[in-house]
Every structure is written in structure tokens, then in C-alpha cells.
């Protein structure tokens, strides 16, 4: 049985952030990390962005092993918060003084495929897909949200033929205004991507050396690889078993403490109070994981700080890109301020009852802090108040 002053379950960016936060206040206390992945923590966004554009693999690692003892390829299966003991799937036990749950999420799967679909999530998935591109030339991407849109662009950038299959009418049409989402359909097609909208996948089967994808409308598509990005479900089994309060994630207070003493949570799994939106939410993006993990680590090491960070997220889509804060939904009222020709550069404001709840900076850079400040303003705002408010 190993004892750690600080034990972290989860080997992602939130867990790594916690090791950094701990070390800012406690340079000696022992830190252990249990991770299901075989690889140490890395900058996950590179899997669908930088690595496809030539970023060296050695640049993505977080060097967590310099601060913590890593237990890789292990799954924590039991927590006894009274005895402060954690057990893993290999039967090993760990005791702790402070515990962080940064268990993130697992990809949603389709009810078929028999191992022939890459549910793109981790570095091993990147290596698998990259290896397939060395020999194949046609790939099917299922889903058109964050992962789907980025992977379709990445594969095209390295010279592959891509077919996207979208259940919806347009790429990311659940978050973008309809005209912007439909612009992306045309933009991807101009880049050589075949975009099939309003379509489902009925089956994926191995036929010879290739895969056969059959759609709901009866079309058959041969492919060398199939990638799915259809969302994640957060990993809550451990937290539920330990008796933590759960409500769309692990409920934490402003110091990222759970309902159980000496147990903290951060990252994708944490249901926290968003200081700008003034309500509880979860955020499944890098910036939140890094910042929240760091603050959780500092508080585990004796600080008593409040999490007031307003998370941002971003994406790269060929030559287009965006940064955003707050809530974004195509069902919300939007005010669009294109600063050049439409769809090339501008700001989309998402409103609820006259208050700005989200800001999309489309090819507009270095304005995230201004967008964050706007979320804090009560309003109410009208179109004329927002046009020209944020410019690059």
C-alpha cells in the first residue's frame, strides 16, 4: 500500500494542473497520479490540431513525472473516503491525505462497429489514425461538432480524402447561427471534403482490407479508416460509489471541494458555479481543465481560493479559427457583427433576456479578456450596443 499526501485520479490536463498548483505551495509533499492512459499527461488539443500541422510530438508532454509518481494504465475502482483508501483494477491500494477526482469522460460509442471505429480521444487514438494515413487515402468522419470538424480538417490537410457524415443539417449547427454553419458546409466542400448532411450511419463492417460504411439512406462508402466524434459521457461511477453529491457531474463548491471532506474535483467532471453566467455548469475544454486543476491543487496544499476563472475554448478549421467564452447555442438570440465580408471575420454575441451569455470571436484574436468582461456586464444590450464593441 502506497501513501501520498496528495492523490490524483485522472491523467489529463486537470490532473497535471493540480500537480503544478500543489508544487506552488508545497515543494516536498508526495503526489501520486492514477491514470487509465498508458501515456503521461499531454496537451490534448494537439491531437486534433498541432500534431497534424507539424508540431513535434515531444512538444506536447507536460512533464508531470517531474512532480508526481505516475501509475499508468490503471483504473481506480474503489474509494473509501472514511479510511482514505483508493484501490485500482490491479488490486493495489493507495492512501491519501487529500484526493482529487479529475476522471474526465469517455467517448460515446455507436452500437456497432466491432472495433473498426476510432472514437477519437487520446494519444493512442492519434497514433492509430496517423498510422492508417500512411497507407490509406479515404477516411469517414462521423459527427460534425468539435472533434469531427477538427479531424476532418486535419486529415484533409495531410492529403487524405474525407467524407463527413452529419446527423444535423450543417457543421456545428447546434452552436453556430444557421448561416455560419451552412457556410462551413460549403467551405469544407471547397477544401475537398465530402459533407453528407441529415444522414446517419447504419453499420461499419470490415470487408477485405477496407471498411464499408453504410448510411441510413442506403449509401455504401469504402474507407481506410472511420473516426467518430459524437460526444463524451463523464466518468462518475467512482464518485457515485464514494457517496459524493452528483448533479450533472461532481458538485463542487467555490473552492472545488466536493461534498466529502478532503476530496476535490476538477475538469470535465466538475459541476461548478460559473462566476460570469451566475449558475452551475460543466465545461469540457482545455482552458477550464488547466485553470481548475491548478486551483484545486493549490487548495489541496492549503490555500483557500475561489474559482472565478471564466473558461475559454477555441478551434482551428483550416484557415479559419475561433476563440469563445460563455454559452453558445444556435437556439439563443444572436447578434452578428461581421467586420469584413460575412463569415470571414467577426463577432457573434449570444444573448438571453438582453444579457450577453456567450461571445464567439470568429477569426478575431487577442480579445478573449474583452469578451470575458462583457459577460460580467448586466446589460440589457441591444444590437446597436454590441456592433463594433469588440474588434481585432
Amino acid at each position: 500500500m502506497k501513501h501520498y499526501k496528495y492523490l490524483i485520479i485522472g491523467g489529463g490536463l486537470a490532473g497535471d494542473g493540480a500537480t503544478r498548483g500543489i508544487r506552488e505551495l508545497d515543494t516536498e509533499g508526495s503526489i501520486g497520479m492514477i491514470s487509465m492512459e498508458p501515456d503521461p499527461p499531454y496537451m490534448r488539443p494537439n491531437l486534433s490540431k498541432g500534431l497534424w500541422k507539424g508540431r513535434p510530438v515531444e512538444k506536447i508532454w507536460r512533464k508531470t513525472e517531474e512532480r508526481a509518481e505516475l501509475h499508468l494504465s490503471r483504473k481506480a475502482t474503489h474509494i473509501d473516503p472514511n479510511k482514505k483508501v483508493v484501490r485500482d483494477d490491479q488490486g493495489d491500494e493507495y492512501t491519501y491525505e487529500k484526493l482529487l477526482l479529475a476522471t474526465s469522460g469517455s467517448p460515446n460509442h455507436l452500437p456497432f462497429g466491432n472495433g473498426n471505429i476510432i472514437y477519437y480521444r487520446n494519444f493512442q487514438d492519434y497514433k492509430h489514425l496517423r498510422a492508417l494515413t500512411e497507407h490509406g487515402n479515404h477516411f469517414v468522419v462521423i459527427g460534425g461538432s468539435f472533434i469531427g470538424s477538427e479531424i476532418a480538417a486535419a486529415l484533409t490537410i495531410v492529403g487524405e480524402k474525407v467524407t463527413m457524415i452529419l446527423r444535423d443539417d450543417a457543421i456545428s449547427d447546434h452552436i453556430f447561427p444557421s448561416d455560419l454553419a451552412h457556410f462551413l458546409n460549403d467551405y469544407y466542400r471547397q477544401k475537398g471534403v465530402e459533407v453528407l448532411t441529415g444522414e446517419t450511419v447504419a453499420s461499419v463492417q470490415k470487408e477485405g482490407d477496407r471498411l464499408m460504411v453504410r448510411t441510413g439512406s442506403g449509401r455504401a462508402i469504402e474507407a481506410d479508416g472511420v473516426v467518430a466524434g459524437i460526444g463524451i459521457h463523464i466518468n462518475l461511477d467512482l464518485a457515485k460509489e464514494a457517496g459524493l453529491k452528483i448533479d450533472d457531474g461532481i458538485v463542487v463548491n467555490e473552492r472545488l471541494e466536493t461534498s466529502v471532506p478532503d476530496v476535490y474535483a476538477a475538469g470535465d467532471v466538475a459541476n461548478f458555479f460559473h462566476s460570469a453566467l451566475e449558475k452551475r455548469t460543466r465545461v469540457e475544454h482545455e482552458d477550464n481543465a488547466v485553470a481548475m486543476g491548478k486551483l484545486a491543487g493549490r487548495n489541496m496544499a492549503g490555500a483557500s481560493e475561489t474559482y472565478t476563472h471564466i473558461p475559454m475554448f477555441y478551434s482551428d478549421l483550416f484557415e479559419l479559427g475561433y476563440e469563445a467564452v460563455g454559452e453558445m447555442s444556435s437556439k439563443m438570440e444572436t447578434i452578428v457583427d461581421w467586420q469584413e465580408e460575412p463569415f470571414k471575420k467577426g463577432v457573434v454575441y449570444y444573448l438571453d433576456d438582453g444579457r450577453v451569455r456567450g461571445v464567439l470571436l470568429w477569426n478575431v484574436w487577442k480579445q478573449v479578456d474583452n469578451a470575458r468582461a462583457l459577460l460580467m456586464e448586466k446589460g440589457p444590450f441591444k444590437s446597436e450596443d454590441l456592433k463594433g464593441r469588440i474588434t481585432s
Side-chain angles (χ1 to χ4, degrees), residues 277 325-328 332 348-351 356-360 375:
L277 298 179
V325 296
E327 291 181 296
M328 288 168 38
M332 297 173 71
V348 180
Y349 302 94
Y350 293 79
L351 288 84
V356 176
R357 309 297 282 182
V359 181
L360 170 65
L375 290 192

Side-chain angles (χ1 to χ4, degrees), residues 2 23 26 32 55 69 76 78 83 86 102 135 142 147 159 168 224 235 245 255 301 336:
K2 292 207 169 194
R23 284 291 175 253
D26 183 349
R55 184 174 178 82
E69 185 173 0
H78 175 73
K83 296 180 179 178
V86 172
H135 307 288
I142 304 170
I147 291 297
D168 299 320
D224 299 294
N235 297 323
K245 184 178 180 182
R255 294 180 300 278
V336 182

Side-chain angles (χ1 to χ4, degrees), residues 258-269:
T258 71
S259 58
V260 172
D262 297 324
V263 180
Y264 297 73
D268 296 355
V269 296

